[in-house]
Amino acid sequence: MPATVLLRVFCPGRLLLFLLPLLLLLARPAAAQQAGDTTSVACSPPRVPKLCVELDARQAVDPAAGPLTFRWNMGDGTQLTGPTVAHCYAERRRYTVRLDVVDEASGEVRDAEKLLDVDFTKQTVVNFRAADTVRVGQPVAFDAADSQLPACRNMVVIWDFRDGATSTGPRVEHRFRRPGRYAVRMALRANGPGSCPDSHCVSRQVVVLP
C-alpha cells in the first residue's frame, strides 16, 4: 500500500504543503501452506524482489508558489532531479532518501526538506537459486541464503527435491539419480506471530538429463 508522507517546504512569506506518496515496489509474499503440508498445496515460482521506489512531490497545495526544483539524493550515491523520480537499488539494505528543494525565483536552496527511510531489510523474501539443467549424478547446489521472514524467529529452510529426498538448511547439495523434470520445493518455517508457523513455499523446475 502506498504510504503518504506530509512534506513541508518553507519559503519566505508562505507555507507550501506537498503530499508525497512513497510507493515501494516489493514482491508479493509467497503463498503459505499450513504447517505440515508439503505435498498437496501448489507452490508458486520464486519471484525476485524488486528493490525499487517511486517518489512523487508534484501535489503542491499552493499553486502560486512558483516553480521549484527537486533534487533527490537516493542514499546510495545516486542523484536525481524532478518532481517525480524512480530508482532501483542494487543491495537489500536500509537507505535514507534526501530531498532538497530550490525556489527558482529566489534561488534559495532548502537542504534536506524531507528525509525518507527506505528499508528493504524488513522485506519478506522467499526465493532460491539452482541450476536449471543438470546431469544424473551431478551435484546440484541449492541456495536460499537470501530468503527471510523478518517478523519471525528461528527460521528453518526445508527442501523437497521431489524424488523422495528432503533436506534442511539455507544451502544444500543434492544429486538426482534418475532423469526427468523435478519441481523442487523450498519452504520457510519459523516461530512468531501470524503466518510464521506456516510453510511459505516456492518451487523451481530442474531438468535432469541422462
Side-chain angles (χ1 to χ4, degrees), residues 120-182:
F120 293 108
T121 65
K122 298 179 180 179
Q123 180 182 13
T124 295
V125 180
V126 185
N127 186 30
F128 70 92
R129 295 187 292 271
D132 295 326
T133 304
V134 299
R135 295 283 182 179
V136 167
Q138 175 185 347
V140 185
F142 294 87
D143 187 345
D146 288 340
S147 292
Q148 61 180 20
L149 300 173
C152 308
R153 305 181 304 275
N154 304 321
M155 188 183 76
V156 177
V157 182
I158 303 172
W159 301 89
D160 183 346
F161 301 107
R162 313 305 287 166
D163 62 352
T166 60
S167 187
T168 59
R171 293 187 178 96
V172 298
E173 188 176 273
H174 181 65
R175 288 178 169 85
F176 293 91
R177 301 301 181 184
R178 294 183 178 84
R181 295 178 179 269
Y182 298 88

Side-chain angles (χ1 to χ4, degrees), residues 169-208:
R171 293 187 178 96
V172 298
E173 188 176 273
H174 181 65
R175 288 178 169 85
F176 293 91
R177 301 301 181 184
R178 294 183 178 84
R181 295 178 179 269
Y182 298 88
V184 176
R185 294 184 175 191
M186 186 276 291
L188 305 181
R189 288 183 184 151
N191 298 326
S195 63
C196 288
D198 295 341
S199 176
H200 302 265
C201 69
V202 291
S203 65
R204 182 190 301 277
Q205 182 171 262
V206 176
V207 177
V208 180

Side-chain angles (χ1 to χ4, degrees), residues 3-205:
T4 299
V5 178
L6 185 63
L7 171 62
R8 298 180 185 271
V9 181
F10 294 93
C11 293
R14 62 169 63 90
L15 172 65
L16 303 181
L17 298 180
F18 291 84
L19 290 179
L20 181 65
L22 171 59
L23 178 61
L24 298 184
L25 302 180
L26 308 181
R28 295 179 181 177
Q33 294 173 276
Q34 293 302 309
D37 185 353
T38 61
T39 58
S40 65
V41 176
C43 299
S44 63
R47 288 187 293 270
V48 179
K50 293 184 178 181
L51 309 179
C52 300
V53 294
E54 291 182 356
L55 304 176
D56 188 347
R58 290 175 297 181
Q59 300 182 38
V61 175
D62 184 358
L68 300 172
T69 297
F70 300 89
R71 297 175 181 171
W72 305 84
N73 183 325
M74 303 306 294
D76 62 349
T78 301
Q79 306 285 334
L80 301 173
T81 59
T84 63
V85 295
H87 181 60
C88 291
Y89 295 90
E91 299 180 26
R92 186 179 298 113
R93 292 169 38 201
R94 182 174 180 174
Y95 300 91
T96 298
V97 177
R98 190 186 78 187
L99 173 62
D100 300 332
V101 178
V102 181
D103 186 324
E104 296 181 9
S106 65
E108 183 178 6
V109 179
R110 297 292 180 175
D111 293 329
E113 284 292 351
K114 189 62 184 179
L115 298 177
L116 302 174
D117 184 49
V118 179
D119 191 355
F120 293 108
T121 65
K122 298 179 180 179
Q123 180 182 13
T124 295
V125 180
V126 185
N127 186 30
F128 70 92
R129 295 187 292 271
D132 295 326
T133 304
V134 299
R135 295 283 182 179
V136 167
Q138 175 185 347
V140 185
F142 294 87
D143 187 345
D146 288 340
S147 292
Q148 61 180 20
L149 300 173
C152 308
R153 305 181 304 275
N154 304 321
M155 188 183 76
V156 177
V157 182
I158 303 172
W159 301 89
D160 183 346
F161 301 107
R162 313 305 287 166
D163 62 352
T166 60
S167 187
T168 59
R171 293 187 178 96
V172 298
E173 188 176 273
H174 181 65
R175 288 178 169 85
F176 293 91
R177 301 301 181 184
R178 294 183 178 84
R181 295 178 179 269
Y182 298 88
V184 176
R185 294 184 175 191
M186 186 276 291
L188 305 181
R189 288 183 184 151
N191 298 326
S195 63
C196 288
D198 295 341
S199 176
H200 302 265
C201 69
V202 291
S203 65
R204 182 190 301 277
Q205 182 171 262

